[in-house]
Amino acid sequence: ETNILTIYKTNIDRLHDNHPEFWRQRLSFFMWAWRSAVFRHGRSDSFPPHSGDFRKSVFVAECNGKIIGYILGGIHLEDKTRGKLIRIGVGNGYQRKDCGTKLTEALFGKMRELGVKSVHLTVAEDNIPALSFYKKIGFIQTDARENYFYPDIPRLMLEKML
């Protein structure tokens, strides 16, 4: 069987409506956490600080008609030359087969078209597979924060020039 990988742009609402199982498995917790943060901060544009509606900035990877990965990104409100990789996921059995690389290339290509010069992200310091992937595609560590999300939840800050 030939595996045909397709990357395309979509939005969260379309994913929710057309792929409910994928939504439940991969994105429902993320959206709950984002809404909780918005509630705590009081305004939808105060957290996360990205312009537009990141829910419309989603790329999906399909292999033979099955969703196997996704990536979400945004552009900062205060500095439109800075983007953020908000979330990326590739299904088990499809990792280390260029799916994540192709998803980042699609997102970063769109960001370049919009004038973004650099992209940053945060990652748990013990997430070795993710750190390895991000370094492979050109990210470098710029900072480490001890209490990034809540007390005792540290994150590493990484950045890549586009």
Side-chain angles (χ1 to χ4, degrees):
E1 175 182 326
T2 303
N3 291 326
I4 300 171
L5 180 66
T6 306
I7 308 287
Y8 61 90
K9 189 173 186 299
T10 188
N11 66 53
I12 292 282
D13 298 326
R14 207 171 304 140
L15 275 179
H16 179 269
D17 295 344
N18 297 337
H19 302 280
E21 187 61 27
F22 175 80
W23 172 265
R24 279 191 296 278
Q25 292 176 355
R26 298 287 182 163
L27 292 172
S28 60
F29 177 77
F30 169 74
M31 291 304 294
W32 172 84
W34 184 78
R35 284 188 200 104
S36 296
V38 167
F39 179 76
R40 282 194 311 274
H41 292 272
R43 294 186 3 234
S44 64
D45 64 347
S46 64
F47 182 90
H50 312 102
S51 71
D53 187 346
F54 75 87
R55 293 172 301 173
K56 296 177 184 171
S57 300
V58 179
F59 286 85
V60 169
E62 280 190 9
C63 184
N64 300 329
K66 175 184 174 189
I67 294 179
I68 61 166
Y70 65 95
I71 190 167
L72 290 87
I75 301 172
H76 279 267
L77 286 169
E78 328 62 65
D79 181 355
K80 304 244 187 223
T81 66
R82 286 194 78 210
K84 176 154 178 143
L85 192 165
I86 298 170
R87 189 167 176 93
I88 184 171
V90 175
N92 295 335
Y94 298 96
Q95 296 170 354
R96 294 176 184 78
K97 296 181 180 179
D98 284 333
C99 180
T101 301
K102 292 184 184 314
L103 284 165
T104 58
E105 288 171 353
L107 177 65
F108 298 165
K110 185 63 177 171
M111 287 181 168
R112 269 189 214 94
E113 288 175 19
L114 298 172
V116 173
K117 305 291 184 210
S118 67
V119 177
H120 73 101
L121 59 87
T122 69
V123 63
E125 61 189 5
D126 62 352
N127 190 343
I128 304 305
L131 282 166
S132 175
F133 171 70
Y134 295 137
K135 288 179 180 180
K136 180 187 98 168
I137 62 171
F139 278 88
I140 59 168
Q141 183 179 334
T142 58
D143 197 4
R145 297 197 185 153
E146 288 301 315
N147 300 309
Y148 185 78
F149 285 120
Y150 298 101
D152 303 323
I153 301 181
R155 299 292 278 187
L156 300 178
M157 317 301 281
L158 280 65
E159 188 158 7
K160 171 187 172 75
M161 301 306 292
L162 294 185

